[in-house]
Amino acid sequence: MEKKREYYDVAIIGGGAAGLTAAIYCGRARLKTILFEKALTGGLATYTSEIENYPGFPEGISGINLMKLFEKQAKKFGVDFKLTAIKEACLGAPEKVISTFRADYVAKAVIVASGGKPRLTGALGEEAFLYDKGISFCATCDAAYYTGKSIMVVGSGDAAIEEAMFLTKFAKRVQISVIHDKGIVDANEVAKEQAFANPKLEFIWNTVVHEFKGQDRLNQVVLKNIKTEERIPVDVDGCFLFIGYLPDTEIFKGKVNMDSRGYIVTNETMETNLPGVFAVGDVRVKGLRQVATAVGDGAIGGVAAERYLAESAYFEQKIMGEQQPTLVYCWNPIDPACRSIMAEVEKLKEKYKEQIKVVTVDMYKAASLAERLNIRQAPSFALVKDRAICCTVTECSCVDSVEQEIKKVI
């Protein structure tokens, strides 16, 4: 039985803060947009009991309520939601195909916002206490909840040590389970010195988590000494895991450029190495992973996708789609040389108006459009005929050589 196919302008993979923001921007731009989310719309933020550092909410707001507002706004702009897992993603140009088990969704642009997932310890009982039941992954998000309480931090890297110090501003006691020998942590020297000098931090050396215990919420972490095998029960009100994150990029491996950890590499406009494919939020290489930064990524990615589609339409219709040969002048309005040549271009346009069409591309605003013609500097010309680039002329000071090429094709 053949799968049904549905067509969209933009497909967004992942419904966390970044994906929802991108959806809002794309929907508001009147692009036909679909968002895929395999779990809970809102992503990891929905498991945060209270977010106090997101602008506009001075009293704080729960992660799930904030994400409900994001979702409501995206739906207001007509975004379609598909709560299902992605089976395959074919990201080649010009059409990209997102496959689920029941249907194929064809899109002109794709925004990957699949996020990351915290690395877990694998200890007994862990699954029962994840997120809002005692195990957390974001000190900035959840620290206030543990004011005056006892907390355990698991990890010894920069994130673990720095977040543990932040937690001491709220908790009455912070204990850190470190797998290394006494005095050895993986954090930078400054953080290390500050942590050892902090009277509210207590290190439990040579230990890993053996088991998490509790009823409705976590109330005890059982550690194991890796040298003596001794079990060490520690009563806590909560536990923070800072042992790394894993990007959710498995289905994109071998398709888009990634770093050694599996995070997607983008430029400042969220573009990947593939035309029309963008990545936003926790899934990409970046320095800070928070709701606020995810929103910024999503906004940039949504606008970039809109611009890509507009440029693609212009390229196909005005440059490659003409019946007659097309002369494309790529120029920069702030460059005096480009402005002087424009007058000669106008003369060519008038002289050969019955035989060619002349199109100008402003490289100051749309450099990527010129790059589709293999042009990266201005002033330059490209001559297109029968959907193929006949020739390009670069570093030109006059249009004489360009006119010679025009005569050849007409």
Side-chain angles (χ1 to χ4, degrees):
M1 180 177 176
E2 187 176 350
K3 279 186 177 182
K4 73 172 183 177
R5 291 171 72 89
E6 296 185 22
Y7 293 84
Y8 287 85
D9 293 318
V10 181
I12 300 171
I13 302 175
L20 288 170
T21 304
I24 290 168
Y25 273 74
C26 290
R28 190 171 181 273
R30 300 184 183 276
L31 300 175
K32 188 178 181 183
T33 305
I34 186 169
L35 183 148
F36 297 90
E37 173 53 56
K38 65 181 178 180
L40 183 64
T41 303
L44 289 177
T46 59
Y47 297 103
T48 302
S49 58
E50 188 171 14
I51 297 176
E52 292 190 312
N53 61 337
Y54 190 75
F57 296 91
E59 304 303 320
I61 185 172
S62 71
I64 193 167
N65 286 337
L66 181 60
M67 291 302 103
K68 281 180 179 178
L69 293 174
F70 280 36
E71 181 181 0
K72 180 180 180 180
Q73 194 168 355
K75 288 181 175 178
K76 169 190 171 183
F77 291 121
V79 176
D80 291 338
F81 283 71
K82 197 72 178 176
L83 301 181
T84 186
I86 300 301
K87 183 181 178 182
E88 181 61 55
C90 297
L91 304 178
E95 289 186 341
K96 295 91 170 64
V97 181
I98 309 302
S99 299
T100 65
F101 287 96
R102 294 186 178 180
D104 289 335
Y105 298 85
V106 182
K108 299 172 186 175
V110 169
I111 300 175
V112 179
S114 51
K117 48 190 177 182
R119 190 187 300 274
L120 303 179
T121 66
L124 298 173
E126 187 169 47
E127 293 290 334
F129 303 107
L130 291 178
Y131 305 109
D132 60 344
K133 292 186 178 181
I135 297 178
S136 300
F137 305 93
C138 176
T140 308
C141 305
D142 296 337
Y145 176 81
Y146 291 100
T147 299
K149 299 180 180 181
S150 296
I151 301 171
M152 173 166 288
V153 170
V154 178
S156 65
D158 285 329
I161 300 304
E162 290 171 2
E163 298 288 345
M165 287 191 291
F166 177 78
L167 287 166
T168 62
K169 299 178 182 179
F170 301 85
K172 68 178 181 182
R173 186 183 190 189
V174 178
Q175 296 169 284
I176 308 179
S177 170
V178 180
I179 195 172
H180 305 304
D181 288 334
K182 183 177 180 179
I184 300 176
V185 294
D186 301 311
N188 64 80
E189 287 300 315
V190 174
K192 177 180 175 180
E193 290 177 8
Q194 292 176 347
F196 288 164
N198 192 318
K200 293 181 71 175
L201 287 182
E202 177 185 335
F203 292 84
I204 308 176
W205 305 101
N206 296 314
T207 57
V208 295
V209 179
H210 173 72
E211 185 177 4
F212 294 96
K213 289 185 175 183
Q215 296 299 319
D216 294 333
R217 285 187 60 85
L218 177 72
N219 58 35
Q220 188 180 83
V221 178
V222 181
L223 301 178
K224 181 179 74 172
N225 187 296
I226 60 173
K227 292 188 174 182
T228 66
E229 298 293 321
E230 176 191 2
R231 302 295 192 269
I232 308 169
V234 182
D235 292 335
V236 298
D237 296 298
C239 181
F240 287 79
L241 303 184
F242 298 113
I243 53 177
Y245 276 80
L246 300 172
D248 193 358
T249 55
E250 193 64 35
I251 67 171
F252 307 112
K253 287 183 178 178
K255 299 173 183 177
V256 295
N257 288 345
M258 300 181 185
D259 69 4
S260 59
R261 299 178 297 166
Y263 289 99
I264 297 175
V265 177
T266 71
N267 62 13
E268 63 181 10
T269 56
M270 308 299 140
E271 295 173 302
T272 69
N273 60 301
L274 299 179
V277 179
F278 307 84
V280 297
D282 288 1
V283 77
R284 76 182 193 92
V285 177
K286 58 190 298 186
L288 180 64
R289 293 182 170 85
Q290 294 272 287
V291 173
T293 62
V295 167
D297 285 2
I300 295 170
V303 171
E306 177 191 357
R307 184 179 294 119
Y308 169 81
L309 293 178
E311 288 184 356
S312 295
Y314 184 87
F315 185 77
E316 285 298 317
Q317 296 167 14
K318 302 297 184 181
I319 295 177
M320 304 302 288
E322 294 294 330
Q323 296 296 319
Q324 60 188 156
T326 301
L327 177 66
V328 185
Y329 175 44
C330 299
W331 72 307
N332 188 334
I334 65 175
D335 181 2
C338 288
R339 293 199 299 268
S340 65
I341 290 177
M342 179 62 80
E344 297 182 63
V345 172
E346 291 297 328
K347 291 179 182 178
L348 281 180
K349 182 178 179 180
E350 178 63 25
K351 183 175 182 180
Y352 295 98
K353 62 183 178 181
E354 302 298 328
Q355 295 141 308
I356 66 168
K357 180 178 180 178
V358 177
V359 173
T360 60
V361 171
D362 183 347
M363 291 187 67
Y364 184 77
K365 296 180 178 179
S368 57
L369 189 57
E371 288 175 3
R372 295 178 186 228
L373 298 166
N374 297 321
I375 290 175
R376 291 174 172 78
Q377 62 186 39
S380 295
F381 290 87
L383 194 56
V384 178
K385 182 180 181 181
D386 298 329
R387 298 189 61 82
I389 301 173
C390 300
C391 70
T392 57
V393 179
T394 61
E395 298 182 358
C396 45
S397 58
C398 65
V399 299
D400 291 345
S401 57
V402 176
E403 187 169 12
Q404 295 302 316
E405 296 298 334
I406 291 174
K407 292 177 179 179
K408 290 180 185 178
V409 299
I410 63 174

